[in-house]
Every structure is written in structure tokens, then in C-alpha cells.
Amino acid sequence: MVRPEKLAALKERMEALGICEQDLEESFVRGSGHGGQKVNKTNNCVYLKHLPTGIAVKCHVDRSRELNRFLARRELCDAVEQAQTGQCAARARVIQRMRRQKDRRRRRRSIHPNSSADSV
């Protein structure tokens, strides 16, 4: 279940990007991948298309339709933002965090290059 604060923040972000609920075409389809009977019998994968831009996303992260609807809208916001500005702020933050983590790991390895060999 998605918290009301997160729903409100998503709604504000959609308004800021100029995405209206009327401009969205939403359908529920069967998902794919692991899950067996639950995946094969339920339509909880969300297909969301923004009609003015033609951007479409498909989300089947969770078994919950409500959560998939929220995540699909968030992915759509990222895609529209990337189309408008050339890059997505949320994706840029994730990439920046990964780079910092890799830098920390690289520094640790350079300080203790044979630490894993000593423990054997």
C-alpha cells in the first residue's frame, strides 16, 4: 500500500510536468516472468501511455495492482522529464549515488589491496 504522502508528492510532480490524468491511457495486462499461477491468472501489470507525448511504460514490479499503478506513474514522470530536459533528475541522483559508492569501494581497495588474501 502506498502512503498518502507519496501519492500527494507524485501528484504534485505530475502537475509540475504538465501530466494530467485525462491524458493517460491505462490498461491492465498479464505480467511475465516468475510467479506461476499468480502471474498467469491476474492482470496486475500496468501499461500506461501518455497520449500527448506518446511515451508508454509498463510496470510489473509487485503483485499489487495499486503499487504497480503508483510505480508506473513515477516511471512515466521520469520518462517525460527526460524527454523535456534531456535527463531525469531522479535517475541522475541514482547514478550519482552509485558513483560515490564505487569511489568509496575503490579507495578502500587501494588502502588495503591484499586484505582479502590475508584472511585466507
Side-chain angles (χ1 to χ4, degrees), residues 7 10-11 14-15 18-26 48-51 69 73 76:
L7 285 173
L10 178 65
K11 189 174 181 181
M14 287 174 66
E15 289 173 1
I19 302 172
C20 302
E21 284 291 329
Q22 297 86 355
D23 296 339
L24 300 179
E25 181 182 302
E26 182 177 45
L48 201 60
K49 184 174 183 179
H50 187 234
L51 297 175
R69 288 183 78 204
R73 279 169 172 70
L76 183 72

Side-chain angles (χ1 to χ4, degrees), residues 6 20 24 39 53 58 77 83 85 91 96 101 108 117:
K6 289 201 173 211
C20 302
L24 300 179
V39 170
T53 60
K58 191 174 179 183
C77 287
T85 64
R91 182 73 181 138
Q96 186 178 13
Q101 186 178 21
R108 280 189 219 136

Side-chain angles (χ1 to χ4, degrees), residues 53-114:
T53 60
I55 296 174
V57 295
K58 191 174 179 183
C59 182
H60 184 237
V61 175
D62 195 68
R63 285 171 43 169
S64 165
R65 183 184 281 191
E66 179 186 356
L67 182 59
N68 285 333
R69 288 183 78 204
F70 172 78
L71 295 174
R73 279 169 172 70
R74 196 168 71 179
E75 285 182 30
L76 183 72
C77 287
D78 290 345
V80 169
E81 184 178 10
Q82 186 172 10
Q84 288 177 353
T85 64
Q87 73 173 19
C88 175
R91 182 73 181 138
R93 283 193 300 270
V94 169
I95 291 171
Q96 186 178 13
R97 187 174 66 227
M98 289 171 61
R99 284 184 181 151
R100 282 195 309 260
Q101 186 178 21
K102 285 182 179 183
D103 286 342
R104 280 194 301 265
R105 288 178 180 166
R106 196 173 299 121
R107 283 194 300 264
R108 280 189 219 136
R109 274 198 311 265
S110 67
I111 294 170
H112 305 291
N114 294 327

